[in-house]
Amino acid sequence: LPPSVSVADRTRRKVRRRLLPFLFVLYIISYLDRANVAFAKLSMTADLHFSEAVFGFGAGIFFLGYLLLEIPGAIIVERWSARRWFARILITWGLCATLVGFIRTPIEFYGARLLLGIAEAGFFPGVIVYLSHWFVERDRARAMAGFIIAIPFSLALGAPISALILRLDWLGLAGWRWVFILEGAPAVVLGIITLFYLTDHPRQARWLDPDERDWIGSELEAEKASKKALGHVSVWQALRQRNVLILAAALCLANLGGYAFIFWLPSTIRMASGLSVTLSTACAALPFLAGLVSIPLTGMLSDRSGERRLYAALPLILAAVFFTLSTFVGQPFLLVILWLTLTGAAGYAFPPPFWVLPTLTLGESAAAASIGLINSIGNLGGFLGPIIVGYLLSRDLPYSLAMTVLASAYLAGGLLLLAIRIPRRG
């Protein structure tokens, strides 16, 4: 028994150290390149005379492109090569991200954002599937937390960096254009590195000792056998399962609130504080810094208790409460930024336990397809949220009303997750 425990600890430590920091860096770049439009918003819309509706549609259309390759992308990682697929994604999205820096009209804005979504599609569900090749179920939420924490980290880092880039005026190009150009270039470099650094499966990992490869292989095989005891589920059956559809709808609602929260956060802060564009953009880092604490916390607590559903649902319900409190008129700015920071902490806490749920009972290809479907439908929320907010604001409706709509989406997503049924394994 002691030698096997030693092998287990050694293997898990090596896998974590080898994979999670690199995937963390990749997702930082990924999320920043899709969300930096929020940091460029105030300067870009003023320079190009874009309305709130134009900005909302351009910010959201990214997710229509994203829909195209979500399910195929997840299955490609399962059946072919994560390493090659991720490299392709990184290089093409880096090129498309820099393209946004050269747009001049609404049509060009829409087209560049759509291409960016198409280029990046399949990356996130692919990584979720890839982690299931390396981490057994009892370690999976913490592993996903180690990857997903890149979301608030990228935005916390991106806010002050983008604020500094906004000051640039190189080659006669406005600072907001350099935000897209400079923040898109690292993806191309990392795409090339990915081809040589990542390993598709444990059996191919020369950086693991033979006994370590044997241990992780046997653990993952035992997990597969446990799932098979529940009965075989095909890809098409998985896509119609009640739990899969609930998870997809809940993620759609969470993203509806979450992405619009990101895209309008600097504007919300500026309205509440009266600060400059640069300072408002820099202050937008605070809610994302709070997420750096909440994500690993829910991952750890979920793995320790084995409870996934509640640790995914409750943060969304709390995000709805805090976001609603931030909309009350006449509050001091310090109180508003407190509510927004707590919204960020709660809103980013749900993904680690959430993304364990589709991997609990389904076989490899069925789980990969369901993750792709959940993320593709979920990202419709990223398309709809900015459009809804842009429409409401362009109709001169109160800003607090638009934000309350987003809070309601958080609440509905959390309540839906409470309806998930998790079968017991025999």
Side-chain angles (χ1 to χ4, degrees):
L1 184 61
S4 65
V5 172
S6 176
V7 170
D9 291 342
R10 198 169 69 235
T11 307
R12 292 156 85 185
R13 191 179 305 115
K14 277 189 180 180
V15 170
R16 282 197 304 268
R17 289 177 178 175
R18 172 81 181 191
L19 299 182
L20 292 182
F22 188 72
L23 293 173
F24 172 78
V25 171
L26 295 188
Y27 203 40
I28 286 175
I29 302 301
S30 166
Y31 216 83
L32 186 56
D33 283 344
R34 77 171 68 172
N36 57 10
V37 69
F39 305 133
K41 174 184 180 288
L42 293 171
S43 298
M44 181 181 72
T45 53
D47 192 10
L48 299 180
H49 307 291
F50 286 175
S51 68
E52 294 283 1
V54 167
F55 173 79
F57 188 77
I61 201 172
F62 166 93
F63 298 100
L64 282 189
Y66 208 78
L67 287 174
L68 296 178
L69 291 173
E70 288 291 85
I71 295 176
I75 295 176
I76 284 169
V77 170
E78 180 61 53
R79 297 185 179 178
W80 182 51
S81 169
R83 175 174 62 86
R84 292 173 183 151
W85 183 240
F86 293 159
R88 192 286 302 165
I89 290 174
L90 282 154
I91 293 168
T92 54
W93 107 47
L95 295 173
C96 291
T98 60
L99 186 64
V100 184
F102 297 96
I103 57 103
R104 297 190 177 276
T105 67
I107 297 300
E108 290 176 358
F109 181 41
Y110 302 155
R113 289 285 294 177
L114 181 65
L115 286 175
L116 179 61
I118 293 170
E120 196 182 319
F123 178 70
F124 181 83
V127 172
I128 299 301
V129 172
Y130 182 65
L131 290 175
S132 71
H133 294 170
W134 292 90
F135 294 91
V136 293
E137 191 270 323
R138 65 178 177 272
D139 297 327
R140 210 163 282 157
R142 272 175 289 187
M144 290 180 184
F147 166 64
I148 292 168
I149 199 173
I151 297 175
F153 188 89
S154 69
L155 296 172
L157 185 68
I161 288 176
S162 298
L164 290 173
I165 296 174
L166 285 169
R167 296 171 173 266
L168 298 180
D169 188 21
W170 295 343
L171 304 176
L173 296 177
W176 66 265
R177 295 187 183 276
W178 285 110
V179 167
F180 298 111
I181 295 167
L182 295 179
E183 293 178 1
V188 177
V189 177
L190 286 166
I192 297 169
I193 295 172
T194 295
L195 273 174
F196 300 96
Y197 185 82
L198 283 187
T199 308
D200 286 325
H201 295 281
R203 64 179 178 272
Q204 301 164 340
R206 295 181 180 177
W207 42 272
L208 289 176
D209 295 335
D211 59 342
E212 294 166 346
R213 287 196 294 268
D214 291 342
W215 178 83
I216 194 170
S218 64
E219 288 288 307
L220 291 169
E221 284 301 320
E223 188 175 304
K224 290 178 188 178
S226 176
K227 291 176 183 177
K228 286 176 182 175
L230 295 169
H232 174 72
V233 178
S234 71
V235 168
W236 294 113
Q237 287 172 327
L239 298 181
R240 299 194 302 271
Q241 277 202 349
R242 176 181 180 275
N243 279 358
V244 171
L245 297 176
I246 289 175
L247 287 168
L251 184 62
C252 181
L253 289 163
N255 281 342
L256 193 154
Y259 278 108
F261 172 76
I262 292 169
F263 292 144
W264 267 270
L265 183 58
S267 298
T268 303
I269 291 172
R270 193 178 188 205
M271 289 179 61
S273 65
L275 295 172
S276 67
V277 170
T278 302
L279 287 176
S280 297
T281 303
C283 283
L286 292 174
F288 309 128
L289 288 171
L292 297 179
V293 178
S294 62
I295 287 177
L297 183 63
T298 53
M300 178 186 69
L301 294 175
S302 177
D303 273 352
R304 279 187 181 175
S305 64
E307 173 59 53
R308 311 301 185 183
R309 180 177 50 197
L310 286 176
Y311 279 108
L314 291 179
L316 289 176
I317 295 169
L318 289 174
V321 173
F322 295 136
F323 202 10
T324 301
L325 289 172
S326 76
T327 65
F328 291 173
V329 179
Q331 299 180 81
F333 171 63
L334 288 179
L335 199 53
V336 173
I337 199 68
L338 172 65
W339 299 134
L340 291 174
T341 300
L342 290 173
T343 302
Y348 286 114
F350 85 95
F354 177 91
W355 285 111
V356 176
L357 288 168
T359 72
L360 288 180
T361 58
L362 297 173
E364 295 91 331
S365 294
S370 72
I371 288 167
L373 178 72
I374 291 163
N375 204 46
S376 61
I377 293 178
N379 276 308
L380 277 176
F383 172 67
L384 294 173
I387 289 177
I388 290 170
V389 174
Y391 173 79
L392 292 174
L393 295 180
S394 68
R395 304 286 291 182
D396 294 325
L397 293 170
Y399 194 84
S400 58
L401 173 63
M403 298 304 111
T404 303
V405 170
L406 302 184
S408 301
Y410 275 134
L411 178 62
L415 293 176
L416 259 182
L417 287 178
L418 294 176
I420 291 290
R421 296 173 186 163
I422 301 175
R424 294 181 180 178
R425 297 182 188 175

